Amino acid sequence: MSKSISCRTLITASVVVVLLSACSSSRKTTTTATPPPTTAKPVKDEKPKEATKTSKVIPFNVPAFAREIKKDTYNIALYAPLYLDSVSADMPTRSLPRYILPGLDFYEGAQLAMDSLQQQGVKLNVTVYDSKNKQNLSGANLTNTDLIIAAVGTPEIKELSDIAKKKQINLVSATYPNDAGVNENPFFLITNSLLKTHSEALQRYLQDGFATKNILVIHRDTPFEKRIAADIRSEYEKMQSTKKSKPREVVWDDNMSDLAVSQYLLADRPNLVIVTSLEEANAKAIIRRLSTQMATYPIQVFGMPTWDIMKFKEPEFKGMPIFYTTPYFNDKTDAYSRYITDYWKRVYKSRPSDMAFKGFELTWYFVKQLSTNGVYFNKDINDPNKKVFSSFNYQPIYLKEGDKEPDYFENKNIYIIQKGDSSDIKMNFQ
């Protein structure tokens, strides 16, 4: 989505450059709209205090998680790829570069959440960092930070994880769907679930959701796609069900004939076809071939999380049920979404992007955790009362058998979504 400078003026951009180049800002309330409703009680405006207690039970065997630390004011560090070195008030173009927009949208969504929470009595000191400035990683002073929220990828997320582990700060990885080689860091929280988790969830959904089925896993002969197929096969083998149906693997060849494809299909039950390709061209090539079999065989196609942004508007896909997996779902009909959408229309004369919604959601969710449960909210991390759009299910991940502390936490909640003509439809219910 292109946003013109008339919506995000160069004056605003210059202010952001000054604000973020300093690497620090105590956020003040700037919004005038009424914040969305909250189920938590407002924080009382009282004298700052910090209480530290040690519980007898140590959650997840992490000693820090047993400490109760509540403050009157919490310190937040927000990281996003803002490319501030590329932004100038003298920019000759009338549009911001497209590569800047995702990080800027996330930042602005997070800013709206923090401004709104401060209107409700939550006191925050917020430091904003441009993750594309190397000095903001190696030179960041996070000693007094209570929470890090980061919409960054590799290698930044690993560097931040090392800092968070050393200083025992909860780090929320907001958008990167990978553990980036992180281990032995229970303070690292992955929100955008790993591909393995998507594969496992899809396998369970197909096995449990259909009484009779013919499950096919179509993958190309590449190490990456074969690994996805292996994850699906492994989840099948772990399932304790007498009604499960063994998936059949099909190694895809673009020269495969229609007759060869039909040999894997059955006419008397749903053919549930998992396509492991993350790339649009490859995925569509396979689905296009499958569509020629629809007159004879009932086919439903299930794809990867990257399919959320793909459009299947071609005539040959008409009538083909196509699904994908995602850890995020927002039908944009709730009070929070209306609040964000109205704000974007009024301030930016545009519609908020998905990154703006994610910035708002994760900031709201975890700042609420801080204000209710304190710095180490981890034992109550999946509190459904703090839900904004998506349901989160952060679970401890142990990479080695016998480990006592988690290597990290990962959101295991996956939605199965059906592609629709005008909007996508959630199939499983949380």
Side-chain angles (χ1 to χ4, degrees):
M1 176 177 62
S2 176
K3 290 186 174 69
S4 66
I5 296 301
S6 62
C7 297
R8 299 180 180 193
T9 63
L10 283 173
I11 294 176
T12 301
S14 299
V15 170
V16 172
V17 170
V18 173
L19 172 71
L20 301 181
S21 294
C23 296
S24 177
S25 69
S26 294
R27 291 291 310 146
K28 303 296 183 182
T29 300
T30 59
T31 56
T32 57
T34 303
T38 177
T39 56
K41 294 181 180 179
V43 175
K44 293 182 180 179
D45 187 7
E46 57 186 13
K47 186 178 179 179
K49 62 181 180 180
E50 178 173 334
T52 303
K53 298 179 182 179
T54 302
S55 172
K56 294 180 180 179
V57 178
I58 300 179
F60 307 104
N61 292 308
V62 181
F65 293 172
R67 300 169 62 198
E68 182 180 307
I69 302 177
K70 293 188 176 181
K71 299 181 178 181
D72 184 52
T73 301
Y74 289 97
N75 302 309
I76 313 294
L78 178 68
Y79 279 84
L82 299 168
Y83 298 92
L84 295 179
D85 292 338
S86 303
V87 178
S88 169
D90 299 323
M91 290 173 62
T93 178
R94 296 296 296 172
S95 296
L96 291 170
R98 294 182 65 86
Y99 63 85
I100 291 178
L101 297 181
L104 185 57
D105 285 346
F106 186 91
Y107 159 75
E108 289 175 334
Q111 172 186 300
L112 177 59
M114 288 184 284
D115 286 343
S116 302
L117 286 166
Q118 288 188 112
Q119 287 190 31
Q120 295 183 357
V122 180
K123 296 181 181 179
L124 303 171
N125 288 325
V126 182
T127 307
V128 182
Y129 296 96
D130 178 5
S131 64
K132 292 303 178 182
N133 184 326
K134 280 294 182 182
Q135 184 178 356
N136 288 339
L137 291 173
S138 60
N141 181 12
L142 301 175
T143 301
N144 295 317
T145 300
D146 301 310
L147 175 68
I148 305 171
I149 300 175
V152 303
T154 186
E156 295 90 354
I157 197 64
K158 179 63 168 63
E159 297 178 52
L160 279 176
S161 173
D162 291 342
I163 296 171
K165 177 182 177 180
K166 180 178 179 180
K167 298 181 180 294
Q168 297 191 336
I169 305 168
N170 278 314
L171 163 61
V172 179
S173 176
T175 55
Y176 190 54
N178 198 297
D179 62 16
V182 171
N183 57 66
E184 298 181 356
N185 184 4
F187 303 93
F188 184 50
L189 311 171
I190 300 175
T191 303
N192 195 359
S193 315
L194 275 63
L195 193 55
K196 182 176 186 291
T197 298
H198 287 264
S199 302
E200 294 170 346
L202 188 53
Q203 162 69 10
R204 292 194 301 271
Y205 175 76
L206 298 184
Q207 295 287 358
D208 295 339
F210 296 83
T212 60
K213 60 263 182 182
N214 175 37
I215 302 178
L216 302 179
V217 181
I218 296 181
H219 64 87
R220 294 178 182 271
D221 191 18
T222 65
F224 182 77
E225 292 198 29
K226 286 193 290 187
R227 187 171 76 243
I228 297 175
D231 290 337
I232 295 171
R233 183 171 61 253
S234 176
E235 183 64 20
Y236 162 80
E237 293 169 352
K238 290 188 296 184
M239 288 188 68
Q240 301 295 320
S241 173
T242 57
K243 297 182 179 180
K244 66 180 184 179
S245 177
K246 185 175 182 179
R248 293 193 292 167
E249 294 184 24
V250 180
V251 179
W252 186 259
D253 183 340
D254 288 330
N255 297 318
M256 188 180 296
S257 67
D258 289 341
L259 178 61
V261 173
S262 69
Q263 302 302 308
Y264 295 98
L265 303 171
L266 300 176
D268 63 343
R269 65 197 64 190
N271 295 277
L272 311 175
V273 183
I274 302 174
V275 178
T276 62
S277 178
L278 275 67
E279 300 174 358
E280 184 168 356
N282 289 339
K284 285 188 173 182
I286 295 173
I287 301 174
R288 189 171 288 108
R289 295 288 300 281
L290 290 171
S291 68
T292 64
Q293 306 285 342
M294 287 181 59
T296 306
Y297 305 99
I299 299 173
Q300 299 183 41
V301 178
F302 295 82
M304 300 291 103
T306 53
W307 292 23
D308 64 339
I309 60 173
M310 296 183 191
K311 304 296 183 182
F312 295 92
K313 300 295 186 181
E314 292 86 341
E316 58 266 40
F317 300 142
K318 186 175 179 59
M320 169 79 79
I322 299 175
F323 306 81
Y324 65 92
T325 58
T326 178
Y328 304 101
F329 181 75
N330 180 11
D331 60 11
K332 300 181 175 62
T333 60
D334 60 282
Y336 290 100
S337 294
R338 292 194 298 271
Y339 170 67
I340 297 167
T341 300
D342 290 346
Y343 178 85
W344 243 255
K345 287 181 179 178
R346 177 169 54 83
V347 175
Y348 302 121
K349 304 300 186 291
S350 64
R351 296 185 62 83
S353 70
D354 286 344
M355 285 294 285
F357 283 108
K358 290 174 183 176
F360 182 97
E361 174 175 41
L362 289 170
T363 302
W364 184 281
Y365 184 88
F366 282 101
V367 171
K368 279 290 188 182
Q369 288 279 16
L370 283 177
S371 64
T372 303
N373 300 312
V375 172
Y376 295 112
F377 48 73
N378 302 72
K379 65 182 176 64
D380 300 309
I381 194 171
N382 295 316
D383 184 354
N385 294 322
K386 294 176 177 57
K387 176 181 176 179
V388 181
F389 313 125
S390 308
S391 294
F392 296 129
N393 180 24
Y394 292 95
Q395 292 297 315
I397 303 300
Y398 302 89
L399 299 178
K400 296 179 181 178
E401 187 175 352
D403 282 353
K404 293 183 178 181
E405 289 189 3
D407 286 280
Y408 52 81
F409 284 75
E410 180 192 357
N411 174 29
K412 289 288 188 176
N413 187 64
I414 299 295
Y415 293 96
I416 309 297
I417 309 296
Q418 181 175 5
K419 284 285 187 180
D421 292 334
S422 57
S423 62
D424 293 349
I425 305 166
K426 181 174 66 174
M427 303 306 296
N428 54 340
F429 299 92
Q430 278 83 8

